[in-house]
């Protein structure tokens, strides 16, 4: 039977993370972490609560959370645009646990000694271009088309200078070096990596849903407070109607994200396509919300002083970490309509 | 959470399919397209005679023993066959309203007649001068010395009136009070002197009507609800407008267009599916279809749980109708000149062209997109009321 309510346990999980982010990822902390976009103390809190290995099976030392539960956490992370590479770390940890033979590494992730990341582009000449968390991660998993590769490093963060970027994300190129560890090859490598990409899309969708919800609140609060021509901005229908449209799209993307998360366990054959759908839908909805909210701040929206710009920049940049969106639409069409096509 | 929709009517599907195979005729679909009348008298009579219309209704008002789930399954198969039942839909809406808001006398008179297929009731809310602002109705009902009423005015989009026996009429009975408090509902017989029905043809092919009421005299027993209490009755009636179910599903329009695009080439000789931008249109369509489904699912879920606020339905209606229009326009662009051709000679047998025409009205009827946005803005976002008070 259709049931769109969260369980008591899921609500408790949400509350725990909402409180943690409220305390340790305030907007002041987000601003303080600019431009690198990494808050070492917040990451320590993430490790302490077990967030990086949330989705890792209990047998492998994780919390064994379902995709839906991880998505709930990602949504709270997105609401606060928390300055830690949580989605990449979770997906990389899940991938390392799934591949097997990396118990020590997974243990090091759980213990906070290793912050793992996932390459979203194929390496060229041994270098992963613009790797997520590339400036701060201790390990990265990459797929070169045939082999699933693990590259590690040690020392102090940031390891390499961040590539300055729109989202203030700690991205940087990552040189895999001469002898990365080969985790898997051929079909197995391809399947593990495809699963990781589907997860990354799903949890990024959830983060974007959360981001959009805060950005909407910011915009709606502003148009209630700010007056022009003797009335609150929110009195004008042109403003009301656009906000109603973007709020509607935001709710749609949220439902689609929960459906995709639910399908991970309940309808695995549909799950990868749904994750991609949720990702594309949330990317567009979150940005449209931010664009409208920023617009209704007038000139203030363009200044660094107001918070909406922090959301606006990330709404555009977060999904693009996974590459250009147009080819993903095309790939989705093939998966949905051309028989025998699988998610890349 | 659980997103799996279980088929409530699964146990009746086979029997419903048999019923349709035994009773429906393909020429009825042709006839519906030719005339634009979304009501078939022969079918309506058959459904009444077999007790399908009365399924689930209280015995004392003519309810039958037929399992209401079986009846719903049959109705869905009829829709799948390509026939619309607008006459029954509006009759059902009004009978449901009367069951809750009507006097015992009118309940006993009209509900059994409706379930026997003898009374077909249409909606008379919208007027030439007011649509979304239904409470601004000007059609006047004035008390006569004998305690009855005399009605003067006109109504627009009284669809199926030319096949119906009654109209559920929103009238103004008091002009000295705010507009919502001076309205009264009547169930008016369409064969009375002074009633005139004029056809109106639409871009989607449907025939609707304008109806005129000149000194139409009705007894007080035709009143539904209190004098000047019409808006309260309307609020009951509008709930039933949102009651339609999705029914059984075949391939989506996007799937049909995607298949066509893989099998046909454009004028430059390339496969339509490989033309620039085509895959994105089809992918977006699937995403937006899924969102429409989910917003509708949420509305039904909220209704079943008694947590419906009215915002869910408005959100779903706004999204799905706007998406439907965007989608059909995009599919037309994708198909090009062959998409413009009517009927069998056109791409996909003219399906997209036909649906494109129909999609135009989806953002208008049942509450326009502008009204839906107002509901979302005021009730969900809590923005100040922008529309002027009475």
């Amino acid at each position: 039977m259709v049931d769109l309510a969260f369980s008591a346990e899921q609500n408790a999980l949400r509350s725990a993370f909402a409180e943690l982010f409220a305390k340790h990822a305030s907007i002041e902390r987000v601003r303080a972490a600019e431009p690198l976009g990494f808050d070492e103390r917040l990451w320590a809190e993430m490790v302490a609560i077990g967030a990086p290995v949330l989705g890792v099976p209990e047998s492998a030392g994780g919390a064994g959370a379902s995709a839906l539960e991880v998505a709930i956490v990602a949504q709270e992370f997105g609401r606060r645009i928390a300055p830690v590479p949580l989605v990449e770390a979770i997906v990389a940890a899940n991938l390392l646990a799934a591949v097997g033979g990396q118990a020590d590494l997974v243990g090091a992730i759980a213990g906070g000694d290793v912050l793992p990341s996932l390459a979203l582009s194929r390496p060229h000449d041994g270098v992963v271009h613009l790797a997520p968390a590339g400036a701060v991660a201790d390990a990265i998993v990459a797929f070169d088309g045939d082999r699933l590769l693990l590259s590690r490093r040690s020392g102090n963060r940031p390891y390499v200078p961040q590539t300055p970027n729109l989202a203030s994300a700690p991205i940087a190129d990552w040189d895999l070096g001469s002898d990365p560890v080969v985790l898997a090859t051929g079909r197995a490598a391809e399947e593990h990596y495809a699963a990781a990409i589907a997860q990354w899309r799903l949890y990024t969708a959830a983060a974007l849903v959360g981001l959009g919800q805060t950005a909407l609140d910011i915009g709606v609060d502003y148009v209630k407070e700010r007056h022009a021509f003797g009335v609150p901005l929110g009195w004008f229908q042109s403003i009301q109607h656009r906000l109603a449209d973007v709020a509607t799209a935001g709710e749609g993307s949220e439902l689609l994200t929960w459906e995709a998360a639910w399908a991970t366990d309940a309808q695995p054959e549909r799950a990868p396509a749904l994750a991609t759908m949720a990702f594309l839908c949330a990317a567009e909805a979150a940005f449209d919300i931010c664009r409208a909210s920023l617009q209704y701040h007038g000139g203030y929206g363009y200044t660094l002083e107001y918070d909406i710009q922090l959301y606006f920049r990330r709404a555009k940049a977060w999904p693009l970490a996974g590459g250009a969106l147009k080819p993903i639409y095309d790939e989705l069409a093939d998966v949905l309509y051309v028989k025998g096509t699988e998610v890349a | 959470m659980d997103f799996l929709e279980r088929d409530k009517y699964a146990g009746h599907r086979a029997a419903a399919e048999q019923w349709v195979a035994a009773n429906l005729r393909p020429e009825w679909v042709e006839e519906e397209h030719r005339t634009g009348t979304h009501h078939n008298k022969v079918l309506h009579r058959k459904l009444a005679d077999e007790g399908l219309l009365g399924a689930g209704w209280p015995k004392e008002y003519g309810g039958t023993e037929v399992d209401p789930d079986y009846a719903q399954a049959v109705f869905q198969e009829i829709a799948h066959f390509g026939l619309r039942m607008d006459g029954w839909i509006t009759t059902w809406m009004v009978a449901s309203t009367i069951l809750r808001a009507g006097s015992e006398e009118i309940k006993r008179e009209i509900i059994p007649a409706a379930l026997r297929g003898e009374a077909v009731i249409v909606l008379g809310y919208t007027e030439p001068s007011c649509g979304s602002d239904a409470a601004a109705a000007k059609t006047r009902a004035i008390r006569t010395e004998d305690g009855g009423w005399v009605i003067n005015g006109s109504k627009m989009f009284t669809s199926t009136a030319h096949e119906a026996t009654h109209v559920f009429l929103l009238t103004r009975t008091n002009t000295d009070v705010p507009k919502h408090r001076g309205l009264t509902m009547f169930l008016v017989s369409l064969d009375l002197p002074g009633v005139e029905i004029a056809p109106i043809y639409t871009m989607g092919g449907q025939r609707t009507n304008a109806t005129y009421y000149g000194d139409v005299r009705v007894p007080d027993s035709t009143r539904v609800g209190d004098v000047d209490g019409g808006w309260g009755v309307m609020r009951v009636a509008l709930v039933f407008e949102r009651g339609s179910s999705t029914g059984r599903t075949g391939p989506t329009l996007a799937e049909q267009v995607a298949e066509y695009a893989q099998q046909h080439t454009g004028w430059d000789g390339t496969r339509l599916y490989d033309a620039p931008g085509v895959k994105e249109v089809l992918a977006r369509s699937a995403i937006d279809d899924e969102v429409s489904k989910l917003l509708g699912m949420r509305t039904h879920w909220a209704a079943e749980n008694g947590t419906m606020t009215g915002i869910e339905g408005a959100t779903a209606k706004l999204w799905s109708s706007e998406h439907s229009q965007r989608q059909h326009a995009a599919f037309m662009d994708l198909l090009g000149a062959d998409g413009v051709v009517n009927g069998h000679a056109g791409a996909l047998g003219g399906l997209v062209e036909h649906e494109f025409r129909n999609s135009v009205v989806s953002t208008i009827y049942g509450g326009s997109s502008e009204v839906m946005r107002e509901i979302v803005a005021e009730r969900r976002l809590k923005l100040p009321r922008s529309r002027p008070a009475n």
Side-chain angles (χ1 to χ4, degrees):
Chain A
M1 285 293 285
V2 170
D3 181 7
L4 303 183
F6 292 105
S7 69
E9 291 77 14
Q10 288 162 350
N11 283 325
L13 179 74
R14 177 187 297 290
S15 298
F17 274 87
E19 277 171 34
L20 189 152
F21 286 124
K23 194 169 166 194
H24 298 285
S26 64
I27 204 71
E28 291 75 24
R29 290 276 288 273
V30 172
R31 284 179 175 276
E34 298 261 291
L36 177 61
F38 183 72
D39 183 324
E40 191 80 54
R41 283 190 301 146
L42 175 59
W43 183 250
E45 293 293 338
M46 292 289 102
V47 171
I49 200 173
V53 288
L54 191 65
V56 170
E58 285 175 87
S59 57
S66 68
L68 182 57
E69 287 159 347
V70 175
I72 287 169
V73 170
Q75 183 191 24
E76 295 305 316
F77 154 84
R79 272 191 219 278
R80 294 285 180 172
I81 49 172
V84 281
L86 184 60
V87 169
E88 288 77 16
I90 286 175
V91 176
N94 288 350
L95 175 55
L96 288 163
V99 168
Q102 296 294 323
D104 289 351
L105 183 53
V106 174
I109 294 167
D113 294 328
V114 170
L115 191 173
S117 188
L118 177 75
L120 298 171
S121 62
R122 302 270 171 98
H124 279 284
D125 298 329
V127 176
V128 176
H129 189 46
L130 300 178
V136 297
D138 305 288
I140 195 163
V141 181
F143 178 62
D144 70 358
D146 177 49
R147 300 171 304 161
L148 201 58
L149 303 169
L150 170 68
S151 167
R152 296 182 65 170
R153 60 190 176 191
S154 57
N156 295 310
R157 286 197 266 267
Y159 294 100
V160 293
Q162 165 200 36
T163 307
N165 63 90
L166 181 67
S168 297
I171 54 173
D173 287 358
W174 186 307
D175 189 339
L176 295 171
S178 52
D179 56 348
V181 177
V182 178
L183 297 170
T185 58
R187 186 70 185 159
E190 206 174 304
E191 285 176 358
H192 281 300
Y193 188 69
I197 292 297
Q199 282 183 30
W200 182 82
R201 287 178 183 167
L202 172 63
Y203 302 143
T204 300
L208 286 162
V209 166
L211 183 159
Q213 284 166 336
T214 304
L216 181 67
D217 290 345
I218 290 172
V220 168
D221 287 347
Y222 190 83
V223 301
K224 284 177 185 168
E225 292 295 317
R226 173 84 177 179
H227 282 59
F229 307 102
V231 292
L233 288 179
W235 180 84
F236 292 99
Q237 274 196 330
S238 62
I239 290 175
Q240 288 198 351
H241 284 195
R242 183 163 160 197
L243 287 173
D245 278 335
V246 298
T248 296
E251 287 185 14
S253 72
E254 182 179 13
L255 283 169
L256 186 48
T257 300
W258 301 139
E259 186 189 29
W262 163 84
T264 303
D265 295 317
Q267 292 185 341
E269 69 290 353
R270 279 182 81 210
L274 279 170
T276 300
M277 289 164 77
F279 170 71
L280 292 169
C281 186
E284 190 158 280
F287 182 66
D288 285 350
I289 290 170
C290 288
R291 207 161 66 85
S293 287
L294 189 147
Q295 170 70 20
Y296 298 142
H297 279 65
Y300 289 129
Y302 189 51
T303 68
L304 292 181
E305 186 185 342
Y306 282 75
D307 293 336
I308 190 63
Q309 55 91 11
L310 297 165
Y311 291 83
F312 178 92
R313 291 190 283 120
R314 285 163 179 80
K316 179 48 74 189
W318 279 0
L320 299 181
L325 299 189
K326 294 288 178 188
I328 300 178
Y329 279 103
D330 286 9
E331 167 207 308
L332 175 63
D334 285 347
V335 170
L336 294 173
Y337 303 116
V338 182
K339 288 176 184 69
T341 309
E342 288 176 47
V343 177
Chain B
M1 281 193 147
D2 188 351
F3 287 81
L4 194 62
E5 288 179 297
R6 287 180 175 78
D7 183 2
K8 218 176 139 188
Y9 310 122
H12 299 289
R13 290 280 175 224
E17 278 171 33
Q18 276 175 20
W19 193 93
V20 160
N23 291 289
L24 298 192
R25 307 202 329 233
E27 56 266 34
W28 289 351
V29 179
E30 299 283 329
E31 186 187 329
E32 182 184 299
H33 287 176
R34 194 177 64 252
T35 62
T37 296
H38 298 172
H39 174 78
N40 183 297
K41 278 180 184 160
V42 182
L43 172 61
H44 196 76
R45 160 74 32 224
K46 198 177 280 288
L47 289 168
D49 289 349
E50 298 197 11
L52 286 152
L53 299 186
W57 287 78
K59 294 271 180 322
E60 65 265 40
Y61 302 119
T64 64
E65 300 285 347
V66 175
D67 184 335
D69 285 348
Y70 168 66
Q72 278 305 319
V74 171
F75 296 160
Q76 289 186 354
E77 288 300 320
I78 291 170
H80 184 69
F81 189 80
L83 285 169
R84 302 201 223 198
M85 296 173 43
D86 288 9
W88 170 241
I89 289 169
T90 53
T91 301
W92 176 85
M93 281 163 51
V94 176
S96 299
T97 305
I98 288 173
L99 185 65
R100 281 154 191 82
S103 67
E104 194 56 32
E105 186 183 355
I106 200 163
K107 278 193 233 180
R108 292 203 179 275
E109 187 192 323
I110 201 70
I111 297 174
L115 304 183
R116 284 196 307 269
E118 290 157 14
V120 175
I121 313 167
V122 298
L123 307 180
Y125 309 155
T126 297
E127 298 195 356
S129 63
C130 60
S132 292
D133 186 10
K138 287 180 183 153
T139 294
R140 281 286 272 154
I142 295 172
R143 276 267 194 200
T144 54
E145 284 180 359
D146 60 2
W149 299 82
V150 60
I151 298 171
N152 279 283
S154 49
K155 292 287 174 183
M156 276 296 282
F157 306 117
T158 27
S159 302
T160 332
H162 57 296
E163 298 283 344
T165 57
H166 295 78
V167 59
F168 194 45
L169 205 65
L170 177 68
T171 70
R172 180 153 309 282
T173 40
N174 193 338
T175 54
D176 299 329
V177 290
K179 65 182 180 183
H180 290 85
R181 287 190 235 148
L183 300 162
T184 304
M185 301 297 307
F186 292 92
L187 189 71
V188 176
S189 181
L190 284 164
D191 58 9
L192 289 172
V195 176
E196 277 180 49
I197 299 168
I200 293 174
Y201 297 98
T202 65
M203 199 167 83
Q206 185 187 1
R207 176 210 157 135
T208 179
N209 304 287
T211 47
Y212 302 97
Y213 308 86
D215 287 333
V216 176
R217 290 178 180 274
V218 297
D220 191 50
S221 60
T222 61
R223 177 164 51 81
V224 178
D226 295 336
V227 174
D228 294 346
W231 194 248
V233 179
M234 277 289 284
R235 291 175 75 103
V236 175
L238 290 174
V239 169
F240 294 111
E241 269 207 344
R242 308 193 199 99
S244 62
S245 63
T246 48
R248 63 172 262 181
T249 52
T252 65
L253 191 62
E255 285 164 350
Q256 294 180 67
V257 171
E259 193 179 347
Y260 180 91
Q262 288 175 67
Q263 291 165 352
H264 293 77
T265 54
W267 285 358
D268 65 353
T270 52
R271 201 167 67 131
L272 279 179
Y273 186 74
D274 299 321
V278 166
K279 289 183 185 184
E280 182 178 344
V281 164
L282 291 165
R284 280 182 178 278
S285 196
I287 293 169
D288 291 354
D289 277 349
E290 194 69 21
V291 169
S292 290
K293 185 192 92 177
L294 293 169
L295 289 170
M297 183 189 284
R298 183 177 67 165
T299 307
H300 282 280
W301 177 75
E304 281 177 9
N305 284 272
T307 57
M308 190 157 77
T309 60
I311 306 169
E312 300 89 355
T315 307
K317 204 272 176 182
L318 173 62
W319 173 274
S320 57
S321 61
E322 291 287 334
H323 151 57
S324 155
Q325 258 177 32
R326 277 198 307 274
Q327 178 185 56
H328 289 98
F331 287 165
M332 291 294 284
D333 291 348
L334 189 160
L335 295 170
D338 289 305
V340 175
V341 174
N342 299 144
H344 297 305
L348 280 163
L351 178 66
V352 175
E353 193 265 353
H354 180 71
E355 298 281 318
F356 171 73
R357 288 168 176 264
N358 274 310
S359 72
V360 173
V361 79
S362 65
T363 54
I364 300 168
Y365 67 15
S368 69
S369 289
E370 287 65 35
V371 172
M372 297 302 115
R373 290 188 183 104
E374 189 178 276
I375 292 170
V376 174
E378 286 180 14
R379 294 170 60 188
R380 154 99 167 75
L381 303 179
K382 311 275 190 248
L383 292 170
R385 185 186 175 90
S386 64
R387 118 165 83 131
N390 294 324

